[in-house]
Amino acid sequence: MSDTAPDITLSARNLTRRFGSRQVIHGISLELRRGEVLGLLGHNGAGKSTTLQMLTGCLLPDAGAIDICGIDLLRRPAAAKARIGYLPEIPPLYRELNVDDYLLFAARLRGMAPAAAAAALAQARQRCGLETVGKKTIGTLSKGYQQRIGIAQAIIHQPDVIVLDEPTVGLDPAQIREIRTLIRELGDAHSVILSTHLLGEVESMCDRVEIMREGRLIYGDTIAALANHGGEAGKLEDNYIRITESCA
Amino acid sequence: MMRLLAMRELRSLFSMPSTWFVVALLQFILAWFFLALLEAFLGVQPQLAQLANPPGVTVTVAVPLFNTAALLLMMLTPMFTMRLIAEERRNQTLALLLSAPLAGWQIVLGKFFGLLAFLALLTCGVPLMLYTLASGTALDHGLLFANTVGLLLLTASYIALGLYVSALTAQPAIAAIGALAALAGLWLADIAATAADSPWHAISPLHHFQSFNTGLLDSGDAAFFVLFSAAFLLLAVRRLHNNCIYG
């Protein structure tokens, strides 16, 4: 599906979202290009997860539009969702299933034929380093492996857009390095949007960054531009804090 | 897609030790009832033989056995329906289904048919036990067929109600208690209503099962089960959609 898809794989325009009387997302617009890794950066509670839930169709925006490869997510959800792979903050794993059965189920759920799903399973296992645990029950595996299975289910159907919500949370340093390498590889063939509050993660994986604060996008540019923000080359961390505090 | 979800439900059910325990327990209770009813029939058979038009073994054994199975299913079904959506929500696996190219009705019907297939397997022991008598006596196949169809429709209505209650909460235990309270409430309201034309009879699934239990294939009662199930399945689809609206 990647060959015929347009260059802009995800386009969100003026998304707003309210929970009860509290407005949590205020007119967010963003675009994602093919082969790009976009980091959605922000403090806890900035609205990153809510934004990603809307981009994947799990949560409907109150207003705004979302196109996935030119397909309107709100009008044609099935066609648009077939092009999305989503890893929520907590991987959606059926702990009683073994890894192969779960990944095959995830592939079939995204509309893959049984034969294609079997081939995709082998590729996803190889990419995510799951070759040795295919027959193991998910509930018995470590947090690191469960996170990899979560990523594998998001990429098994070769989606155009991969959405990862805090993909390295709770992992040890070695696992974080592996997952970062994997995401960087995924970014070469797919479009990846990931949320994080870790600057190091953005620096090592992302081509571009969007900073969120209190439900608004307050900054969007390349990593190099963020490092040189305000004409002062310095630590990303300093510039990030400067940007978020200037918008407070 | 519905078949895929139904198969996953079945696989998930059979992978749990508690399922096998419940299956074994239900078969034991039903077999116990069957043998007790059969023994009682054999005890009164000489007296029955003196009647002009004596009731056969099917009426004496099958009718109360199916009635018992219907009551047991009322108590048992919430234990299985509680998982359907509440557990997905609690374990945060609902995101996998909601972000997949599936419509809400496909998710609901997949889960509904998966559990219906499982409970149909669970209760097929009832007619099978009764058919073991066919080697020694003539059975009323029409009565057995009507009861089997009625039990299946009754089970479908129980699952639909339980599925809807499961869609309302993230706690499987609350879903089980809620569904059991609703089903038992409908049953108690039915048996407590003494007037023949009481509206409580009209909304009780067990009341509509009685015609099937006596061997009558009543299209009105069949329509009730279909409408009852469809109404709660539609409510469950709506609740799932609300999940995307309200979060």
Side-chain angles (χ1 to χ4, degrees):
Chain A
M1 70 179 72
S2 329
D3 298 337
T4 55
D7 189 45
I8 291 181
T9 51
L10 184 151
S11 166
R13 298 179 297 280
N14 297 318
L15 298 181
T16 62
R17 176 73 210 192
R18 181 182 287 276
F19 286 121
S21 60
R22 195 167 63 94
Q23 180 117 14
V24 291
I25 301 295
H26 303 261
I28 280 185
S29 298
L30 54 85
E31 281 188 346
L32 187 61
R33 292 176 185 82
R34 186 166 302 285
E36 182 180 53
V37 180
L38 172 66
L40 201 55
L41 196 62
H43 297 318
N44 289 330
K48 304 184 295 292
S49 292
T50 304
T51 304
L52 295 189
Q53 283 176 14
M54 288 194 288
L55 296 179
T56 54
C58 290
L59 194 64
L60 293 174
D62 293 334
I66 302 164
D67 288 345
I68 307 293
C69 299
I71 302 165
D72 190 328
L73 178 67
L74 304 178
R75 288 179 191 277
R76 296 174 58 205
K81 285 177 180 179
R83 293 166 179 262
I84 300 172
Y86 177 40
L87 171 69
E89 197 171 347
I90 297 170
L93 306 176
Y94 294 114
R95 299 169 61 84
E96 73 278 8
L97 296 183
N98 73 36
V99 176
D100 285 355
D101 287 344
Y102 171 74
L103 292 177
L104 278 175
F105 171 71
R108 298 289 315 283
L109 203 59
R110 272 65 173 264
M112 293 188 91
L121 169 68
Q123 193 186 13
R125 274 196 324 195
Q126 185 264 324
R127 290 184 88 172
C128 298
L130 296 168
E131 293 102 325
T132 56
V133 296
K135 296 295 172 203
K136 291 199 172 163
T137 306
I138 292 172
T140 64
L141 295 172
S142 68
K143 168 92 179 152
Y145 270 117
Q146 291 188 3
Q147 195 72 5
R148 288 188 208 193
I149 298 164
I151 295 176
Q153 66 78 24
I155 65 168
I156 192 164
H157 57 301
Q158 296 285 324
D160 289 291
V161 179
I162 299 170
V163 181
L164 307 171
D165 193 354
E166 310 230 6
T168 59
V169 71
L171 300 181
D172 65 40
Q175 290 168 336
I176 288 174
R177 180 181 290 181
E178 288 174 16
I179 296 289
R180 284 179 180 176
T181 308
L182 173 63
I183 291 171
R184 196 52 262 178
E185 286 171 14
L186 292 172
D188 295 336
H190 311 262
S191 301
V192 180
I193 178 167
L194 62 92
S195 79
T196 181
H197 54 270
L198 303 174
L199 282 159
E201 200 146 286
V202 169
E203 193 172 15
S204 62
M205 288 189 286
C206 301
D207 303 303
R208 205 153 58 80
V209 62
E210 297 275 1
I211 298 176
M212 282 190 80
R213 185 189 161 91
E214 293 172 357
R216 290 183 173 84
L217 284 180
I218 56 171
Y219 179 88
D221 213 325
T222 60
I223 298 298
L226 176 62
N228 293 308
H229 179 69
E232 296 176 51
K235 281 186 177 177
L236 276 182
E237 194 177 323
D238 297 336
N239 290 343
Y240 168 69
I241 290 170
R242 199 174 301 136
I243 289 165
T244 51
E245 284 181 352
S246 69
C247 293
Chain B
M1 282 298 178
M2 280 194 306
R3 188 166 161 263
L4 181 71
L5 285 170
M7 292 305 291
R8 204 210 74 74
E9 279 304 320
L10 275 175
R11 179 172 288 203
S12 179
L13 278 167
F14 283 118
S15 71
M16 291 189 299
S18 58
T19 303
W20 292 100
F21 175 74
V22 172
V23 169
L25 189 67
L26 183 72
Q27 298 310 315
F28 177 78
I29 293 170
L30 289 172
W32 186 282
F33 267 94
F34 171 65
L35 292 173
L37 288 165
L38 189 61
E39 195 177 10
F41 173 74
L42 292 173
V44 297
Q45 198 183 20
Q47 288 94 315
L48 288 175
Q50 292 167 6
L51 297 175
N53 192 12
V57 67
T58 322
V59 171
T60 320
V61 177
V63 170
L65 187 64
F66 271 102
N67 219 351
T68 305
L71 275 172
L72 286 173
L73 277 174
M74 185 184 75
M75 291 177 260
L76 204 64
T77 307
M79 288 174 62
F80 293 107
T81 56
M82 69 175 181
R83 298 177 50 258
L84 291 174
I85 293 176
E87 195 170 79
E88 297 261 12
R89 196 174 275 136
R90 188 187 62 175
N91 294 344
Q92 315 256 5
T93 49
L94 200 56
L96 181 71
L97 303 180
L98 293 179
S99 65
L102 290 173
W105 62 268
Q106 287 175 306
I107 298 172
V108 167
L109 285 184
K111 287 177 171 290
F112 171 77
F113 283 118
L115 188 55
L116 184 61
F118 171 75
L119 289 179
L121 272 174
L122 199 67
T123 49
C124 71
V126 178
L128 287 176
M129 271 190 282
L130 291 162
Y131 269 104
T132 58
L133 301 175
S135 55
T137 184
L139 293 174
D140 182 345
H141 297 290
L143 183 66
L144 288 178
F145 177 73
N147 268 285
T148 307
V149 171
L151 195 63
L152 197 65
L153 288 170
L154 181 71
T155 307
S157 67
Y158 287 164
I159 295 172
L161 191 148
L163 180 58
Y164 171 61
V165 177
S166 180
L168 293 175
T169 175
Q171 298 300 325
I174 291 173
I177 293 166
L180 185 60
L183 291 172
L186 286 171
W187 175 54
L188 291 172
D190 173 40
I191 57 172
T194 48
D197 58 347
S198 168
W200 291 112
H201 298 313
I203 59 167
S204 168
L206 262 173
H207 180 80
H208 289 273
F209 174 68
Q210 294 313 311
S211 57
F212 290 94
N213 198 218
T214 53
L216 187 66
L217 278 175
D218 188 325
S219 58
D221 290 322
F224 165 81
F225 285 121
V226 172
L227 288 173
F228 186 92
S229 304
F232 280 106
L233 291 175
L234 277 171
L235 285 171
V237 172
R238 191 179 165 81
R239 181 64 192 89
L240 212 53
H241 181 65
N242 285 350
N243 214 81
C244 297
I245 295 175
Y246 302 113

